[in-house]
Amino acid sequence: MKNIEELFPFLDQAKTITIVMHLKPDADAMGSSLGLCHFLNQFGHRLHVISPTNWADWLKWMPGAAAVTDYELNTERANKYLDEADWIFCLDFNTLARTRHMAGKLRSVKASKILIDHHQEPSLQDFAFGISDPNKSSTSEMVYDLIVRTGHCEKIDVATAQCLYAGVMTDTGSFRFSSATADVHRMVAVLKDTGLRHSKIHEELFDNFLENRLRFIGHVLQNRMDIYYEYNTALISVPWKDLVKYEIKTGDTEGLVNYPLTIKGIKLVALIIDRDEEIKCSFRSKDDFDVNSFARRYFEGGGHFNAAGGRSSGTLEQTVHQFIRAMKESMFELQKP
Ligand code: 5GP
Ligand code: MN
């Protein structure tokens, strides 16, 4: 993978550019993609943004979100955008498998694929150019850094700032994680200077759900959570029938995995959800328990040191058993004080 700076001299030559993100995008995937789109738009390029799947309602306020193409819904149109592109920016994922049904197409297109991502152990051979930096808080911070390095900071308008702020704020747990460095706070100061109203964005992202989601969380914490104190671990497993009963939509389960981390002493949390099409796993940890390695070893996944995901092709029950076995095998690290 070559250095992304090799592309800077071509930035102001009109190109057809497509930006893609990971499936079921979160605020960082969507925010970094739209932030980059707003920036590149000012150079006169032809731009398209594609998500591999649908996305949460709480992302729909983002400037530009309405023009994003859902690959699963509009495959033909999205394939055309990928075929026509000179450059394809790949944001907030480290392996093409994270784009689900789009992965095959991405492998075969002629355009140069350009990675901007902060996940661990990226598949660098899949990308012609790019930056990968697991020390960065978010892909949105990396897009901001990139804009600064091109020398075009003045092109950060309020729409760009809104998108990038949403990404960096959510990926740092509202500036709580150690990834919220002084550089991150300096970036936020620059975004604020564009006229960004940050409290409005917190409201859009966190105070915008329907009653059913809160009832669902109450039900799940009451009835679907097991605590294994001897392993400092909590597990939430959610059957498909719960998602149906509470009318749970894409994005409604975001953040659920964090609740058990508020219990004193809990080091590892797993959330295993039967989504019917697949069993989706989310892992969060505190301190020195590495969920990136855990998700890779046991659940075909990966991510960050303290936040990772994966999947299983078995049933919910089999996946829960698989998790309990994996937890027991990790006893030494989990019981370490
Ligand atoms: P979540 O649990 O919120 O789905 O994911 C946590 C973090 O791990 C996110 O940064 C997400 O992009 C990443 N992640 C989730 N699932 C996978 C996976 O299957 N493979 C890899 N490499 N990363 C994942
Ligand atoms: Mn991210």
Side-chain angles (χ1 to χ4, degrees):
M1 190 172 82
K2 290 191 220 151
N3 195 313
I4 202 164
E5 296 204 356
E6 292 187 28
L7 300 175
F8 288 2
F10 307 100
L11 208 55
D12 49 11
Q13 298 175 7
K15 296 199 173 300
T16 300
I17 300 177
T18 299
I19 301 172
V20 303
M21 61 194 92
H22 63 72
L23 65 102
K24 303 280 175 189
D26 57 7
D28 188 37
M30 186 63 87
S32 59
S33 298
L34 291 175
L36 180 66
C37 179
H38 293 309
F39 171 68
L40 292 174
N41 207 10
Q42 299 175 55
F43 293 88
H45 302 297
R46 240 180 107 228
L47 279 148
H48 301 290
V49 182
I50 305 175
S51 164
T53 63
N54 66 355
W55 52 93
D57 285 348
W58 41 261
L59 290 175
K60 294 190 174 159
W61 61 270
M62 276 193 196
V68 175
T69 303
D70 173 344
Y71 189 84
E72 286 182 341
L73 208 62
N74 291 297
T75 311
E76 213 172 299
R77 179 167 17 122
N79 279 338
K80 188 167 159 282
Y81 293 157
L82 292 168
D83 282 330
E84 287 171 0
D86 301 308
W87 289 349
I88 299 176
F89 280 91
C90 298
L91 266 60
D92 203 38
F93 61 86
N94 57 357
T95 156
L96 296 182
R98 293 279 291 143
T99 65
R100 195 181 275 171
H101 303 309
M102 197 161 70
K105 183 70 185 174
L106 280 176
R107 260 184 214 104
S108 67
V109 286
K110 65 170 196 325
S112 295
K113 290 190 283 287
I114 305 159
L115 177 75
I116 306 178
D117 178 60
H118 68 135
H119 292 89
Q120 293 183 325
E121 302 174 66
S123 305
L124 296 178
Q125 70 282 1
D126 291 335
F127 305 95
F129 299 89
I131 352 167
S132 159
D133 188 350
N135 292 319
K136 282 286 163 186
S137 65
S138 54
T139 303
S140 297
E141 183 190 358
M142 296 176 76
V143 168
Y144 172 81
D145 290 347
L146 186 72
I147 296 174
V148 172
R149 274 166 40 214
T150 63
H152 288 289
C153 234
E154 81 290 348
K155 292 203 191 308
I156 302 177
D157 58 10
V158 71
T160 313
Q162 286 168 332
C163 297
L164 297 182
Y165 180 83
V168 71
M169 183 268 283
T170 51
D171 262 26
T172 57
S174 305
F175 308 105
R176 170 187 170 164
F177 306 148
S178 55
S179 59
T181 57
D183 281 342
V184 163
H185 288 281
R186 276 188 281 269
M187 160 187 172
V188 171
V190 172
L191 300 183
K192 283 290 292 173
D193 282 339
T194 65
L196 169 79
R197 290 170 59 207
H198 70 276
S199 53
K200 196 83 195 100
I201 292 176
H202 289 249
E203 253 171 60
E204 294 281 9
L205 291 169
F206 302 128
D207 303 341
N208 221 348
F209 297 104
L210 303 178
E211 179 187 339
N212 67 318
R213 176 190 175 258
L214 206 55
R215 302 268 178 213
F216 168 75
I217 291 174
H219 159 73
V220 160
L221 295 182
Q222 179 70 28
N223 303 306
R224 306 292 186 212
M225 181 172 73
D226 291 306
I227 312 285
Y228 302 91
Y229 281 107
E230 64 279 34
Y231 296 96
N232 299 315
T233 295
L235 165 66
I236 300 177
S237 58
V238 184
W240 170 244
K241 67 170 196 256
D242 287 2
L243 302 187
V244 175
K245 180 175 173 201
Y246 287 88
E247 299 179 29
I248 292 306
K249 293 198 309 257
T250 298
D252 280 347
T253 55
E254 183 94 7
L256 180 56
V257 66
N258 294 315
Y259 284 91
L261 275 185
T262 61
I263 302 170
K264 191 173 174 174
I266 292 298
K267 228 174 166 177
L268 168 65
V269 181
L271 169 65
I272 304 178
I273 304 181
D274 184 350
R275 291 203 183 281
D276 202 28
E277 61 200 7
E278 66 171 4
I279 305 283
K280 164 80 177 100
C281 307
S282 282
F283 305 104
R284 297 293 184 272
S285 67
K286 274 199 181 137
D287 309 326
D288 54 357
F289 190 80
D290 175 5
V291 284
N292 170 51
S293 302
F294 184 85
R296 265 172 202 276
R297 183 169 331 140
Y298 298 105
F299 296 95
E300 308 163 34
H304 309 288
F305 193 92
N306 291 126
R311 69 196 46 74
S312 153
S313 47
T315 63
L316 181 64
E317 207 181 22
Q318 287 165 340
T319 311
V320 165
H321 285 128
Q322 190 184 339
F323 172 75
I324 291 171
R325 269 198 310 276
M327 173 185 79
K328 290 184 174 170
E329 280 180 29
S330 310
M331 179 173 77
F332 177 72
E333 294 94 74
L334 288 168
Q335 292 179 338
K336 240 181 4 197

